[in-house]
Structure formats: structure tokens, C-alpha cells
Amino acid sequence: DIQMTQSPSSLSASVGDRVTITCQANHDISNFLNWYQQKPGKAPKLLIYDASNLETGVPPRFSGSGSGTDFTFTISSLQPEDIATYYCQQYDNVRIAFGQGTRLEI
Amino acid sequence: QVQLVESGGGLVKPGGSLRLSCAASGFNFNYYFMSWLRQAPGKGLEWVSSMSGTTSYTNYADSVKGRFTISRDNAKNSLYLQMNSLRAEDTAVYYCATAVTFGGVVVRFGHWGQGTLVTVSS
């Protein structure tokens, strides 16, 4: 069964800070890991796919890395518009699972 | 541009039924796997169901299997979710989304609608 452990659950940072969120899978998932941003009251938006690929139109301050069981999402220089909840998402042949989310505050 | 508009949400009693719709535009609907996802109030995201573009392949989360049915009408560019035997724990905002696939497997969700709220309460 897919299980994702995302941390931290919440994070407070300042404009300009480097922010890091981690996601851990309970088994080797290669690079099958995506990251989404959800602003309050809005639908989620895909930012990073296959662990490290930036979705078209997403600012380069967002990045992802990792493979196997451990993954990292980074905002290199936090901007006010980055206030949101961030989710990792994994998949296998029949199931899709999201991490618990990380609420980012300034 | 891609647009997805959900409708059909509302208040329903436990054990009741509801049918959600998603109107799609701005892309070739026939070619895309489509999915439903949901988010309970103040909670995280949960994948609910996916359906292929033309082969009628469907897949469901264990939490809704046997109670929910996904369907689509490609002539109307529309996706549906028939929800039966609704429970309080089905209360959530329901989103439809385009699904990116690889080898027939849904791997991520590219475009999302704005969501429709379903509340199950007596």
C-alpha cells in the first residue's frame, strides 16, 4: 500500500528565505513523485512532476529532487505569493496517494 | 485555454445520492483520462476515481468503490460522478481534473476545476 510521510506539517518563514519540504515513501518509488501548490480557497496547481521537472510556466525558484524513498521540494527565495499549502503525490499501477500537506506561512 | 467547471454539489442526507458534473472546454476531451478528487473541510487531498478517454477503463479509491460511479459523455465534453449511499465522511469539495498518463497509468493531474461542495448531513 502507498504511504507518504510529508514534513513538516506547517512552516513559518520570511520573504527571501530558502524553504525545504520533504516527502518520504514507504517503499522505492523511483522518481514517481509530484508536487502541488494550493492557495487558500483555490484548486491545487501542479508545480513539479517526476520529482524534479518544472511544470511549464512555474517560476524557477521552485525545484524538486530525490529518488527512491526520499524527496525534497525547495523554494529558493520565498515570495509573498508563495503562501499556500504544498502537497506531494505518488502513484502506482492502481492507486494514487497524497502527502498530508505542508502549510507555509510568512 | 483549458477550463473545467464542476456542478451538482449540495446538501444531501446520509444514504442519499448525488450526481456531479464537470463541463470541459479548451482541449480535446476525448483523448484525456479524467479524474475526480476530493478534499474534506480543512483536510488534505484524496484521489477518488479516474476514467480513460475512450476505452471505458475506470478505477476507484477503496473508500468509494461500490458506491460511486464515474462516467463521461465525450459528445458533450462532460465528466460525471454518480454518488450513492453517501456518508458523512464523503463531505468534501469535489474537483475534476485532467489526468496525465504513462503506459495507461494515471501519474499526475494537470488542470483542475474550481470544485463543488458536497455536504452529507441529516
Side-chain angles (χ1 to χ4, degrees):
Chain A
D1 223 25
I2 302 176
Q3 287 186 22
M4 306 298 299
T5 303
Q6 186 176 341
S7 62
S9 57
S10 64
L11 176 58
S12 182
S14 301
V15 173
D17 281 355
R18 182 180 182 89
V19 171
T20 299
I21 299 169
T22 63
C23 202
Q24 188 172 54
N26 64 337
H27 62 275
D28 189 331
I29 60 169
S30 184
N31 68 333
F32 301 156
L33 195 284
N34 307 310
W35 292 95
Y36 297 81
Q37 175 193 64
Q38 186 178 30
K39 295 185 177 182
K42 300 295 186 183
K45 174 186 175 183
L46 178 66
L47 297 182
I48 303 284
Y49 64 94
D50 294 344
S52 60
N53 295 291
L54 201 64
E55 179 74 346
T56 302
V58 174
R61 65 179 179 273
F62 296 100
S63 65
S65 64
S67 67
T69 60
D70 296 297
F71 300 87
T72 299
F73 171 81
T74 300
I75 306 174
S76 60
S77 178
L78 186 66
Q79 300 302 303
E81 60 266 31
D82 300 335
I83 297 310
T85 300
Y86 293 85
Y87 295 93
C88 59
Q89 175 244 313
Q90 187 213 74
Y91 58 90
D92 66 13
N93 284 343
V94 291
R95 295 291 179 266
I96 292 158
F98 289 87
Q100 303 92 327
T102 296
R103 183 175 178 179
L104 181 54
E105 301 170 334
I106 290 185
Chain B
Q1 73 279 18
V2 173
Q3 192 168 14
L4 300 168
V5 180
E6 301 93 337
S7 61
L11 175 64
V12 61
K13 289 181 167 54
S17 298
L18 209 57
R19 188 195 196 207
L20 305 183
S21 299
C22 172
S25 61
F27 65 103
N28 196 329
F29 182 73
N30 296 19
Y31 290 161
Y32 276 78
F33 265 69
M34 295 294 296
S35 296
W36 288 98
L37 302 100
R38 68 184 181 182
Q39 186 171 36
K43 302 297 184 183
L45 298 167
E46 181 186 14
W47 166 76
V48 173
S49 181
S50 294
M51 184 170 188
S52 62
T54 56
T55 65
S56 299
Y57 166 83
T58 59
N59 194 15
Y60 298 90
D62 290 341
S63 58
V64 306
K65 195 176 294 184
R67 301 187 299 122
F68 290 12
T69 302
I70 190 172
S71 63
R72 63 193 294 162
D73 185 337
N74 287 344
K76 295 183 177 179
N77 284 357
S78 293
L79 180 73
Y80 306 102
L81 186 68
Q82 177 67 43
M83 304 185 295
N84 299 331
S85 303
L86 282 161
R87 307 166 179 165
E89 55 265 35
D90 295 318
T91 294
V93 173
Y94 284 74
Y95 296 100
C96 73
T98 61
V100 175
T101 60
F102 182 77
V105 174
V106 173
V107 300
R108 61 186 181 264
F109 307 100
H111 294 94
W112 299 60
Q114 85 289 348
T116 187
L117 176 63
V118 172
T119 302
V120 184
S121 174
S122 55

